[in-house]
Amino acid sequence: MPRHLIDITDLTTEEIDGLIATAEDILDRPDAYQDVCKRKQLATLFFEPSTRTRLSFESAMLSLGGNVLGFSSAESSSTAKGETVTDTVHTVSCYADIIAMRHPKEGAPFAASQVSEVPIINAGDGGHNHPTQTLTDLLTIHRERGSLSGFTIGFCGDLKFGRTVHSLVNALSRYTGIRYIFISPLELKLPRYVKEHALKQRNIPYEQTTDLSAVMPELDILYMTRVQKERFFNEEEYLRLKDSYILTPAKLSDAKPDLSILHPLPRVNEVSVAVDRDPRAVYWKQVRYGKYIRMALIMFLLGLTPPPVTTSLP
Ligand code: NCD
């Protein structure tokens, strides 16, 4: 049976720490990895829009010396003819060595993993989970703070539909000394099932507020998110909530000097472009790290080990 990544907790914390170490090694010596996936093929099956996730997966595989195939919209596949997602994946698993898939239906990657001969990576399933964004976020936090423990993190925006938040809370709940502050409109609070599963069952306390400025001075990490327009049933409700939080340089005036501002991107209005010039904004670094952690993940799921470090004689 191949290893899949459907939920971030499919990986142990030791495995996550190993992936972070590999990604950091790739950042230090990318050339050493250029042939690790020679003659291997990655398929990217994206039934929903994507820029960073799909292209970072493709760039990751190409930088490992492998090849990529796939589609970037359901309309260009046999889904448009009525084929089920499991039949599509069953087909592609006859051609590719590993599959990254995004789907609007929660649970679709899990269903795919039941019929696939090759590893399936969940690249986002509806408003549920997004484990590879979480690996990206963890690598970013690790590089910014040197540790995945001992900080106060504020999650701000659409915590109800934001799948990256759900997966990151699940991942962080297995590390220690983290204080959680959830900042959202009442309508977009973190779902009960995430709180129960990740936090309450582990007796991890958390705070909830609607007021970002009130908690800003306490934060070490601010994880901003987009209000997920495509998950709303009602356009009016989206329009009412979409600008609930708009981060500007002025709102950062009493934030800690070593705050790290993350965002999985894309942003719409919730972080003003002027914030990009603040050294505390690390979301563009986060975009870059997404490629390296996916390189590490592809190697891991294919059972390939990092190339040895060769020291040249003086
Ligand atoms: C996120 C997603 O698709 O859930 N984007 C991403 O993969 N970087 C966040 C979002 O779309 O708001």
Side-chain angles (χ1 to χ4, degrees):
M1 277 289 282
R3 272 297 286 271
H4 305 288
L5 176 60
I6 307 302
D7 187 292
I8 192 65
T9 55
D10 293 344
L11 296 168
T12 64
T13 51
E14 290 73 23
E15 286 169 337
I16 289 178
D17 295 345
L19 291 174
I20 290 174
T22 303
E24 292 187 331
D25 188 45
I26 301 171
L27 277 153
D28 285 346
R29 47 182 202 121
D31 290 351
Y33 288 79
Q34 64 191 2
D35 292 322
V36 173
C37 285
K38 210 169 174 175
R39 287 188 289 277
K40 298 283 183 200
Q41 299 187 21
L42 164 80
T44 52
L45 310 187
F46 277 61
F47 298 87
E48 252 198 352
S50 170
T51 298
R52 274 151 291 270
T53 306
R54 185 172 62 84
L55 294 178
S56 65
F57 262 117
E58 296 193 356
S59 179
M61 191 51 156
L62 294 171
S63 298
L64 290 167
N67 292 299
V68 295
L69 63 158
F71 52 80
S72 55
S73 77
E75 293 75 53
S76 64
S77 75
S78 283
T79 306
K81 299 180 185 173
E83 185 170 59
T84 62
V85 65
T86 44
D87 280 2
T88 302
V89 169
H90 201 160
T91 303
V92 177
S93 79
C94 299
Y95 308 142
D97 299 292
I98 183 164
I99 296 173
M101 70 172 287
R102 168 171 290 187
H103 202 280
K105 280 232 170 70
E106 289 79 6
F110 173 75
S113 71
Q114 304 299 296
V115 298
S116 178
E117 307 279 332
V118 303
I120 298 287
I121 302 170
N122 177 3
D125 63 327
H128 191 212
N129 282 323
H130 193 347
T132 67
Q133 181 63 45
T134 296
L135 292 174
T136 304
D137 302 339
L138 295 176
L139 173 61
T140 308
I141 294 170
H142 190 260
R143 287 187 75 78
E144 290 301 309
R145 309 200 60 82
S147 158
L148 294 177
S149 296
F151 51 75
T152 297
I153 181 165
F155 290 89
C156 178
D158 185 348
L159 311 187
K160 178 179 180 189
F161 296 119
R163 56 194 175 193
T164 69
V165 172
H166 307 163
S167 291
L168 183 54
V169 170
N170 260 308
L172 289 177
S173 70
R174 298 187 296 170
Y175 292 86
T176 53
I178 301 174
R179 185 175 159 216
Y180 299 83
I181 307 182
F182 298 113
I183 308 141
S184 75
L186 294 176
E187 297 85 341
L188 299 178
K189 278 170 31 181
L190 192 69
R192 188 190 299 261
Y193 82 89
V194 180
K195 284 185 235 170
E196 283 290 339
H197 181 75
L199 303 171
K200 288 190 185 162
Q201 278 182 17
R202 293 169 196 266
N203 289 321
I204 300 173
Y206 58 87
E207 293 147 62
Q208 299 189 96
T209 176
T210 55
D211 189 350
L212 174 59
S213 36
V215 296
M216 185 68 92
E218 297 168 47
L219 304 179
D220 299 305
I221 299 172
L222 172 57
Y223 192 93
M224 292 297 295
T225 62
R226 170 180 74 91
V227 176
Q228 307 277 298
K229 180 178 184 194
E230 64 276 34
R231 314 265 179 244
F232 278 73
F233 294 113
N234 163 341
E235 164 125 32
E236 218 173 279
E237 176 96 332
Y238 168 71
L239 293 174
R240 191 167 61 76
L241 294 171
K242 75 182 176 64
D243 293 330
S244 300
Y245 302 97
I246 300 179
L247 189 63
T248 58
K251 289 186 185 157
L252 286 165
S253 58
D254 58 354
K256 288 189 181 174
D258 65 345
L259 172 73
S260 303
I261 307 164
L262 278 74
H263 191 312
L265 302 182
R267 72 170 142 199
V268 185
N269 251 349
E270 62 282 356
V271 178
S272 93
V273 175
V275 173
D276 295 11
R277 289 192 291 276
D278 189 312
R280 293 171 291 187
V282 298
Y283 35 83
W284 291 110
K285 287 194 214 171
Q286 196 181 351
V287 169
R288 203 165 95 76
Y289 296 149
K291 168 177 169 173
Y292 296 95
I293 199 76
R294 288 182 173 98
M295 288 172 79
L297 178 67
I298 291 168
M299 287 171 46
F300 173 78
L301 292 177
L302 289 175
L304 301 168
T305 44
V309 179
T310 49
T311 43
S312 49
L313 292 172

